[in-house]
Amino acid sequence: MTDELYFKYQPRYYHGEISSYEALLRSHIDDFNVEAFVYSIKCSASFDLNIILKVLQERKSLHICDDVSISLNISIASLLDDNFMSQCLEIFENEKNITLELTNHDQTNDFHGLNSSILRLKNKGVKFALDDYGKDYLNTDDFLYLDVDYIKLDRKLIRNINTNYITYSVLKAKYNHIINVLGKIVIIEGIETFEQFNLVKEFGDMLYQGFYFSKPIDITEIRQIKKREFPQVNNKKQFSLNLDEAIFDLNRTQKPKDIQQAIDNIKEIDKYNIIGLTPNTFDLHSERQRINQNYREIIKNKTRSHFLLASSLVCGSDGAVIIRDKEGNAIFNNEHFVNYIGIDLVDVSVEEACEQITDYRTCLNIDNELLLGDSCFMMSDEVIETKNGSELVHIYRQKVSHFDQYFIICSVYEATDTIIVDELTTCYQKNYLYSTYMNQYKILVFIDLDGFKDINDSFGHYVGDEVLRDFSLTIKNMLRDEDVIIRFGGDEFVILLNSHVIKNVHQRIEQLRQNIEWYFNRKETQLSFSYGVASLQDGVELALKAADEAMYKQKFLRKQ
């Protein structure tokens, strides 16, 4: 009977181009049911091995055989046959670009043995697909958790999606579960009309095939496939699936010891305590009931327009939004943030983030100031590193609590004011003094460097520039995060403080001057500064005049 069988090859597409071909068994006998014949075979392992060898032999007839990816069906039970496995391991030592699609799901329940065989062949480069998902097999869902690369949806799931919303929604739900929960790639077969394709292509990434694109072709019609990047398989189990399984374990246990173990497991999975666990160890049954109530509320809210709106507001905000926990770990950043900063910080350690982003540690210090303070809100203007270099931004921080855990929500907006950062010193330029940001400062300090002219005259402007840059970076590190330093011009600087007591400011600046002198003495450079302090109560112009006069008076006295 096998002599009457031959192969046709169904093109499979990804983003409008052929990505592979599926080998389909056909018969020269009219009205012969190939599927029923294959299902009736008692020794599937021997038959499947013969099919594999014949397909590979046909592929060898192509001068482009190495570039042609072929999928073919085997019974899932064949993977439990020792002879089949040993020969396949030998065959696929050299033969590549093969995907085995697993059929006849109701022939075994040995998931451990199946997965072991799958992993052994995957180590040889073989890919796997679970074929016929949704085809009335009683235990197909159990096979979803095997280490296969693709889940192929049966054509009956596609048949009426363009005329029946219920059918369409079932298909979409299955697609979302496979992609977002299982982290596997979907193959949709049986697409026969434009309407069907137009509906499914909006789901997202997938491979697809059907008569709408091409009927099965002969081996001689196969053409070279353009190499493309395919969607990556996410082998990491999703949080939602882990949590759902943990809730399942909680509800199937009755003994207090087992209930406590299940709650501890939820605690380990749900590190941010989304579910709202409490330290209640006295009435475990009440605690279980409360956990289930919280879980139902979460699931219910996910389907409400209010929840979807809130999620959309954060994800689609014009501002770059990042949410950090109290340790500084980014637990969320929206797409605008990733595009603006140039890096996705979720799952990136704090240390790595600080290495990659200049002044990121300063951002965390300001977070900590809000966490430790009584206020729940803070606005600051900061210079951060973006894809386009250093930029001035407005950052709005909000402290929020969730079951006794605190988080900081940061919204970052590009400053529309024409504030310019000095390229040499990275300090703000003097137009900062005439911006709306001045409202948050109380005291102005005018600084003029002492000894800088001698350095410039003796060693030249290049060394002078290096000293200016060194001075500005050093004094910025000595200031508080909320203080601002401005390069007023040449070797003159202005420091803005939100302090109220001028006497305290004098003490701080005196200490700064000592630290600066000590720092440059270690470098065998004589550099210091004279300064004047003034209140901003009567405006920036009067403050500048008063501080400038006080600075020159001090400089004269220091020279004496």
Side-chain angles (χ1 to χ4, degrees):
M1 180 63 69
T2 55
D3 293 337
E4 300 296 330
L5 300 176
Y6 65 96
F7 295 103
K8 287 279 191 178
Y9 293 87
Q10 177 75 57
R12 181 171 293 161
Y13 293 80
Y14 178 65
H15 282 196
E17 296 185 1
I18 295 176
S19 63
S20 61
Y21 297 88
E22 181 185 4
L24 302 174
L25 205 55
R26 295 289 184 261
S27 173
H28 293 294
I29 302 174
D30 294 337
D31 299 325
F32 182 78
N33 191 325
V34 174
E35 184 177 357
F37 167 71
V38 171
Y39 197 81
S40 68
I41 294 173
K42 294 182 179 180
C43 184
S44 61
S46 176
F47 179 79
D48 288 342
L49 191 60
N50 188 36
I51 291 296
I52 291 172
L53 292 172
K54 283 190 173 183
V55 169
L56 293 175
Q57 184 178 5
E58 284 199 3
R59 190 174 71 166
K60 285 188 188 318
S61 66
L62 301 170
H63 69 282
I64 54 170
C65 63
D66 291 339
D67 295 322
V68 176
S69 180
I70 301 288
S71 298
L72 52 93
N73 293 347
I74 66 167
S75 171
I76 207 160
S78 296
L79 292 176
L80 299 176
D81 185 275
D82 292 338
N83 181 60
F84 177 86
M85 282 299 300
S86 63
Q87 292 203 50
C88 279
L89 289 169
E90 184 176 341
I91 290 169
F92 295 120
E93 189 69 43
N94 300 308
E95 298 286 352
K96 304 301 178 185
N97 292 330
I98 292 295
T99 298
L100 299 180
E101 300 190 5
L102 306 178
T103 64
N104 298 353
H105 309 154
D106 52 359
Q107 292 193 2
T108 181
N109 287 316
D110 185 1
F111 300 110
H112 177 75
L114 286 172
N115 216 43
S116 176
S117 296
I118 288 172
L119 292 175
R120 290 172 68 192
L121 288 175
K122 286 183 77 169
N123 286 334
K124 300 295 182 182
V126 180
K127 290 187 179 295
F128 283 87
L130 184 70
D131 194 19
D132 299 332
Y133 178 65
K135 192 183 179 180
D136 300 330
Y137 290 117
L138 293 178
N139 60 348
T140 297
D141 284 349
D142 298 332
F143 290 95
L144 289 173
Y145 300 94
L146 293 173
D147 281 316
V148 297
D149 304 282
Y150 310 97
I151 305 293
K152 188 176 180 183
L153 303 182
D154 188 66
R155 65 181 62 248
K156 81 170 190 176
L157 296 174
I158 317 297
R159 193 172 301 146
N160 299 319
I161 63 167
N162 55 316
T163 58
N164 188 312
Y165 172 73
I166 299 300
T167 305
Y168 166 80
S169 61
V170 167
L171 176 66
K172 188 174 183 179
K174 290 184 181 297
Y175 171 89
N176 287 328
H177 178 74
I178 293 168
I179 291 289
N180 298 320
V181 177
L182 302 180
K184 302 184 188 299
I185 300 170
V186 169
I187 302 173
I188 293 186
E189 66 172 345
I191 299 177
E192 298 183 355
T193 67
F194 169 78
E195 290 78 13
Q196 290 174 337
F197 177 60
N198 202 42
L199 288 169
V200 301
K201 71 182 178 65
E202 299 305 326
F203 291 174
D205 255 347
M206 68 180 70
L207 303 173
Y208 45 86
Q209 62 190 65
F211 284 6
Y212 174 68
F213 307 101
S214 172
K215 292 185 177 181
I217 61 176
D218 293 329
I219 186 70
T220 55
E221 299 177 75
I222 288 179
R223 297 293 179 262
Q224 187 167 3
I225 298 170
K226 179 181 177 181
K227 291 186 178 180
R228 301 198 56 178
E229 289 293 327
F230 294 104
Q232 296 297 310
V233 177
N234 178 17
N235 292 318
K236 184 178 180 181
K237 189 182 288 187
Q238 300 292 319
F239 166 77
S240 56
L241 177 59
N242 281 324
L243 183 60
D244 202 56
E245 287 183 353
I247 297 292
F248 165 75
D249 289 334
L250 174 68
N251 289 322
R252 69 192 181 101
T253 56
Q254 294 301 323
K255 297 179 181 178
K257 181 180 178 181
D258 294 335
I259 294 175
Q260 184 61 60
Q261 180 60 47
I263 291 175
D264 290 341
N265 186 38
I266 293 174
K267 187 182 300 183
E268 185 176 339
I269 293 169
D270 183 15
K271 63 179 182 178
Y272 292 115
N273 198 18
I274 297 171
I275 209 72
L277 298 176
T278 69
N280 180 8
T281 58
F282 300 103
D283 189 350
L284 293 175
H285 290 281
S286 295
E287 178 70 359
R288 176 168 63 181
Q289 185 176 0
R290 200 185 59 77
I291 290 171
N292 277 289
Q293 176 64 31
N294 288 355
Y295 189 54
R296 284 194 296 271
E297 287 296 319
I298 291 171
I299 299 301
K300 180 175 70 176
N301 285 334
K302 284 179 66 176
T303 62
R304 297 177 64 195
S305 62
H306 309 78
F307 180 91
L308 296 176
L309 174 60
S311 175
S312 177
L313 286 173
V314 177
C315 294
S317 169
D318 290 337
V321 179
I322 181 170
I323 302 176
R324 290 187 283 257
D325 64 17
K326 62 182 180 181
E327 281 79 35
N329 300 296
I331 62 173
F332 169 83
N333 46 208
N334 65 358
E335 187 175 353
H336 192 88
F337 181 92
V338 175
N339 292 335
Y340 187 49
I341 303 298
I343 179 174
D344 184 348
L345 291 178
V346 175
D347 293 331
V348 174
S349 69
V350 172
E351 292 73 19
E352 186 180 347
C354 290
E355 288 177 5
Q356 295 196 40
I357 301 177
T358 305
D359 293 332
Y360 192 71
R361 181 68 64 183
T362 300
C363 296
L364 300 183
N365 291 338
I366 299 175
D367 281 2
N368 198 49
E369 183 180 337
L370 183 58
L371 286 166
L372 297 176
D374 296 329
S375 174
C376 291
F377 183 80
M378 178 186 291
M379 191 277 280
S380 62
D381 300 310
E382 302 168 34
V383 175
I384 63 172
E385 285 296 317
T386 71
K387 292 190 302 183
N388 302 318
S390 298
E391 292 189 23
L392 176 69
V393 295
H394 306 306
I395 299 184
Y396 300 89
R397 286 177 171 82
Q398 173 133 15
K399 176 172 63 177
V400 296
S401 64
H402 177 74
F403 292 112
D404 298 326
Q405 290 190 99
Y406 285 94
F407 302 88
I408 297 293
I409 303 175
C410 293
S411 298
V412 183
Y413 291 88
E414 297 177 65
T416 56
D417 313 67
T418 56
I419 302 299
I420 304 172
V421 177
D422 180 61
E423 291 185 4
L424 175 63
T425 62
T426 69
C427 299
Y428 296 124
Q429 291 191 5
K430 63 190 300 182
N431 66 336
Y432 188 96
L433 294 166
Y434 306 99
S435 69
T436 56
Y437 309 127
M438 292 298 295
N439 296 330
Q440 58 191 306
Y441 304 109
K442 303 295 187 294
I443 290 178
L444 177 150
V445 182
F446 200 100
I447 284 178
D448 186 83
L449 298 187
D450 296 335
F452 178 73
K453 186 176 185 303
D454 293 337
I455 295 171
N456 232 9
D457 292 343
S458 301
F459 302 103
H461 291 292
Y462 178 79
V463 174
D465 285 350
E466 287 301 313
V467 170
L468 279 178
R469 183 184 295 110
D470 196 5
F471 167 79
S472 62
L473 293 175
T474 303
I475 199 169
K476 274 205 289 186
N477 288 331
M478 296 176 180
L479 292 170
R480 299 175 305 178
D481 292 329
E482 61 267 30
D483 299 333
V484 162
I485 183 167
I486 296 164
R487 187 184 183 192
F488 195 77
D491 61 345
E492 296 175 328
F493 293 84
V494 170
I495 297 176
L496 300 173
L497 308 168
N498 59 10
S499 302
H500 293 271
V501 183
I502 289 184
K503 180 181 176 182
N504 293 343
V505 172
H506 275 285
Q507 292 174 350
R508 282 191 61 201
I509 303 302
E510 286 289 346
Q511 186 62 53
L512 276 176
R513 180 160 60 188
Q514 292 179 29
N515 292 340
I516 286 292
E517 289 173 352
W518 178 83
Y519 174 80
F520 281 98
N521 276 333
R522 291 179 60 201
K523 294 189 167 190
E524 299 181 353
T525 301
Q526 298 302 312
L527 189 74
S528 183
F529 61 81
S530 299
Y531 69 90
V533 179
S535 169
L536 284 162
Q537 182 177 356
D538 297 322
V540 67
E541 289 293 349
L542 291 177
L544 280 171
K545 182 179 179 182
D548 185 49
E549 290 175 354
M551 181 273 296
Y552 274 111
K553 182 178 179 180
Q554 186 185 92
K555 186 181 285 285
F556 175 78
L557 293 174
R558 280 166 59 83
K559 284 182 178 180
Q560 300 305 312

